Amino acid sequence: MAFVRPTGVTYFDPEPAHHSYVLYSGSDGTTRLIDLNGAVHHEWPFAGVPPRILDPALTGGRLGDLGVQLSAGDDPRGGIYANRTVGQLSWTGERVWEWGERAPGGAARQNHDWELLPNGNRLLLVTIPRVVPALGPDVVGDQGLYEVSPGGEIVWEWRAGDHLDELGLSAEGWDALRRTVARDPDDPWGYLEINSAKTLGPNRWHRADPDGVFQPDNILISYRKANIVALLDRSSGAVVWKLGPYFAAEPGAQHQRINVHKVPRPLDQISGQHNPHLIAEGLPGAGNILVFDNQGGAGYPPAPLGIYAGSRVLEIDPTTEEIVWQYTAEDSGLPSWTFFSSFVSNAQRLPNGNTLVTEGMNGRLFQVTPDGRVVWEYHTPYTGFGVAGEPEVREPRVPGVDRATRTSLIYRAQAVPFDWVPIGAPHTPPVPVDPYPTPESARP
C-alpha cells in the first residue's frame, strides 16, 4: 500500500504573491533554497534549527552566507541536546565560522534559534544541563542564551532557570511544573521548550518612549510549554514584559477561540506558540508582534483547548495587547482544522503585506494575503525518520510509547530577497499553477 500526498508547488498566483526565494531544512537533513516554482537553486548538506541566509549588511556585503548546525553531538536524547557545533557557511560551502567545542561541556547544544548581531557577535539559544533548585534535585534541560564573540568567547549569558519566579505561574502552575519535571527530567525538549529568541531591533515604541521596555537590544523569547511570550531586559536579564500564561475566559469559550474573527480584540489564550518577533521597520505592521499560535496543547497547568483543532497566526499590538490581524483557515474559506500544526512552525511578514507561513508539522509552506487569500502553496517532497515525527530525536526512549516514523516536518522557513544571494533572481518566469485543473475530457 502506498500513501500519496501532494508535493511541490500546488498553487501559485504570481500577481498578488511576493516574489523571493524560500529557504528551509528538510527532514532529510539538507537545507535548500527554492524559488516559487519549487525549483531548487542551491543546497547544503546540513540542517539548521533554523537555517538562515544572512543579510549582506551583516557580512560585509558578502552574498549567500548561511547559518546552520555543522555537527551533531553524541547525546542519545537528541532534541535540544543534539547539536555539537553551529556555524556559518559561505555560498559555496566554506566554513566561515564554527563554534561549539569551546562551549561548556564541549558542545554548543544550540537549538530552536540564533541571530547574528550588528556587532558581529552571535546570540545563541542553547541547552544548559544542570540542577535548577526551584524544580527539584534532578539535572534537567535548562535553556539559556549565550552571546558569543567572533573569537568564540561567551561575553553574555542568561539562564531560564534563574528567572522562573518572574513568569507569573500560579501555585497550581508551580505544582504542575514540578510534577512534570519529576516525571521525566530527561525530556529531550526540556521543561520550558524555549523556541525563539530575537532582539527587537529599532522600533517605533522605543522612539516614542526611549526609557521604556522596548529597547532595541532587548530580547523577545517564547516559552512554548508555559504559554508565555516574554521580553528580557538585556542589561539585567529580567523579564520586563510578557504575554501569558493565563487569560480571562468564560468556561466553554475555548470551543470558539479558533473561530473568532473580529479584530481588534483582546488577546486570548495562546498555547504552544512559536517564533514571536517584532515585525521589522519598513514592513507592513512594523512594531507589532507576529506569532504562530499553534493551539497545540501546553501550559502549567494545561490551558483548555477547544473541540475545533486549528492553528492561527496572530499580529498583536504590544502596547494594547490586542489582536489587530489574524489568519486561520476560515479566512481562506476552509474549516479551521485544515490549517493546524500543534508544534514547530512560524510566520514572516513580507514587503507587500503578505505573510509567509510554515505549517511545519505537515511540511507545508504557503503565502497568504492580508484578507486571507492563499496565493502560493508548497509541500516539501523531502522526508526523513524521527521519533513522533521529530527528525532531531532518532532513538525511542520509552518502551511501548516512542517509535520512529517517516516525517516531512519543516521547523521554520525563511523568505530570502533575491539580492541576498549571488545568483540574483531566477531566470525562469513564474508559472501559475491551478490546484483544480479542468480535466481534458471536460474542456470545450
Side-chain angles (χ1 to χ4, degrees):
M1 177 179 179
F3 292 95
V4 178
R5 67 180 185 89
T7 61
V9 176
T10 54
Y11 184 68
F12 184 20
D13 188 349
E15 186 174 347
H18 171 73
H19 293 253
S20 72
Y21 290 115
V22 176
L23 182 82
Y24 75 93
S25 291
S27 291
D28 59 350
T30 298
T31 298
R32 295 176 177 86
L33 188 75
I34 66 170
D35 64 25
L36 297 193
N37 291 318
V40 176
H41 287 261
H42 206 61
E43 62 182 38
W44 299 261
F46 303 96
V49 188
R52 187 173 288 133
I53 293 283
L54 295 172
D55 183 344
L58 300 175
T59 63
R62 193 168 56 246
L63 301 179
D65 276 21
L66 173 82
V68 285
Q69 294 184 337
L70 293 174
S71 66
D74 56 6
D75 194 311
R77 288 171 290 189
I80 61 174
Y81 298 91
N83 170 248
R84 183 181 298 279
T85 63
V86 64
Q88 181 176 332
L89 300 176
S90 72
W91 177 257
T92 52
E94 290 83 9
R95 297 194 180 197
V96 176
W97 185 78
E98 185 172 6
W99 187 80
E101 293 183 356
R102 293 180 55 188
R109 299 190 184 94
Q110 179 272 328
N111 62 88
H112 286 100
D113 215 348
W114 64 275
E115 179 184 0
L116 179 58
L117 302 173
N119 65 1
N121 294 347
R122 289 162 178 84
L123 183 69
L124 304 179
L125 178 54
V126 299
T127 300
I128 306 172
R130 69 185 187 111
V131 173
V132 177
L135 300 180
D138 297 304
V139 173
V140 297
D142 198 14
Q143 286 176 278
L145 299 170
Y146 292 154
E147 183 177 339
V148 181
S149 72
E153 179 185 2
I154 297 174
V155 298
W156 180 79
E157 179 180 350
W158 176 89
R159 301 186 298 179
D162 297 336
H163 299 273
L164 297 181
D165 59 351
E166 301 167 21
L167 300 186
L169 295 178
S170 65
E172 184 183 3
W174 271 106
D175 181 63
L177 173 57
R178 290 179 178 128
R179 289 164 61 91
T180 299
V181 170
R183 177 181 179 273
D184 187 7
D186 286 329
D187 186 334
W189 300 109
Y191 66 96
L192 288 172
E193 197 170 348
I194 299 175
N195 58 40
S196 63
K198 179 72 175 67
T199 56
L200 295 182
N203 64 85
R204 60 190 175 114
W205 315 117
H206 175 249
R207 286 193 298 275
D209 181 10
D211 297 322
V213 298
F214 298 104
Q215 302 292 320
D217 61 350
N218 283 355
I219 303 164
L220 196 66
I221 66 172
S222 169
Y223 299 87
R224 185 218 182 275
K225 285 183 177 172
N227 297 338
I228 296 171
V229 174
L231 185 62
L232 308 181
D233 180 81
R234 178 62 174 76
S235 59
S236 68
V239 173
V240 292
W241 177 94
K242 66 183 177 69
L243 300 172
Y246 311 120
F247 297 82
E250 297 178 2
Q254 71 270 19
H255 301 310
Q256 295 178 318
R257 184 184 305 145
I258 196 65
N259 304 115
V260 179
H261 54 86
K262 176 185 177 181
V263 292
R265 70 178 190 275
L267 177 64
D268 51 12
Q269 182 70 60
I270 53 176
S271 180
Q273 74 289 331
H274 279 72
N275 194 33
H277 61 280
L278 217 61
I279 299 173
E281 297 210 304
L283 296 174
N288 291 334
I289 291 173
L290 194 66
V291 59
F292 190 105
D293 181 20
N294 299 74
Q295 289 291 296
Y300 298 118
L305 296 179
I307 60 174
Y308 300 103
S311 296
R312 54 188 188 170
V313 177
L314 302 178
E315 182 181 335
I316 302 162
D317 182 322
T319 63
T320 64
E321 300 184 9
E322 288 186 319
I323 300 169
V324 296
W325 178 83
Q326 69 173 23
Y327 173 77
T328 73
E330 289 198 338
D331 294 302
S332 297
L334 297 171
S336 54
W337 56 84
T338 61
F339 166 51
F340 183 46
S341 184
S342 64
F343 62 104
V344 299
S345 309
N346 76 299
Q348 178 184 353
R349 182 57 44 83
L350 303 173
N352 70 345
N354 291 354
T355 302
L356 176 67
V357 181
T358 304
E359 188 183 345
M361 185 171 73
N362 298 311
R364 176 187 179 222
L365 310 176
F366 64 97
Q367 193 180 133
V368 63
T369 63
D371 63 357
R373 187 157 67 98
V374 174
V375 295
W376 178 75
E377 181 184 60
Y378 170 87
H379 295 259
T380 180
Y382 308 106
T383 62
F385 282 91
V387 173
E390 293 268 15
E392 292 174 89
V393 181
R394 299 292 184 181
E395 302 296 330
R397 299 175 55 246
V398 184
V401 176
D402 294 341
R403 52 183 166 176
T405 54
R406 182 173 291 279
T407 179
S408 58
L409 180 145
I410 297 173
Y411 173 59
R412 188 189 300 180
Q414 177 197 16
V416 178
F418 296 136
D419 58 2
W420 282 20
V421 293
I423 56 174
H427 297 298
T428 54
V431 178
V433 177
D434 185 348
Y436 305 110
T438 304
E440 289 287 344
S441 59
R443 292 178 183 173

